[in-house]
Amino acid sequence: MTTVPLGELVSAASSDRAGDRVLPVLSMTSARGLVRQEDYFKKTIASRDLSKYKVVGPGQIVVGIHVDE
């Protein structure tokens, strides 16, 4: 089996921000992956100002910051 550094296979995506676009807010879960926040928590827990939230597109991998997720 050949191993290669991860950086040879993938690269960081651009940091596109929501700005004034109305987009769903996603949450990362350990069991279900990315889910709509309002469905998972039964409400929105995001900030009122979503303009600086990062936008994730098809084919991108999301890396969580929480050890348990």
Side-chain angles (χ1 to χ4, degrees), residues 18-69:
D20 60 356
R21 294 178 284 179
V22 177
L23 301 168
V25 176
L26 305 176
S27 288
M28 181 182 285
T29 68
S30 58
R32 295 176 35 209
L34 289 177
V35 296
R36 286 179 178 255
Q37 189 177 86
E38 61 192 18
D39 295 340
Y40 188 71
F41 293 104
K42 304 302 180 215
K43 63 180 180 178
T44 299
I45 62 170
S47 302
R48 289 181 192 257
D49 179 8
L50 304 177
S51 64
K52 294 183 181 171
Y53 276 44
K54 291 183 179 181
V55 175
V56 178
Q60 292 182 324
I61 297 173
V62 176
V63 178
I65 60 170
H66 302 288
V67 175
D68 63 340
E69 296 294 324

Side-chain angles (χ1 to χ4, degrees), residues 8-26:
E8 290 183 20
L9 303 173
V10 298
S11 61
S14 65
S15 295
D16 187 21
R17 303 295 173 151
D20 60 356
R21 294 178 284 179
V22 177
L23 301 168
V25 176
L26 305 176

Side-chain angles (χ1 to χ4, degrees), residues 1-6 8-9:
M1 176 168 79
T2 304
T3 60
V4 296
L6 185 60
E8 290 183 20
L9 303 173

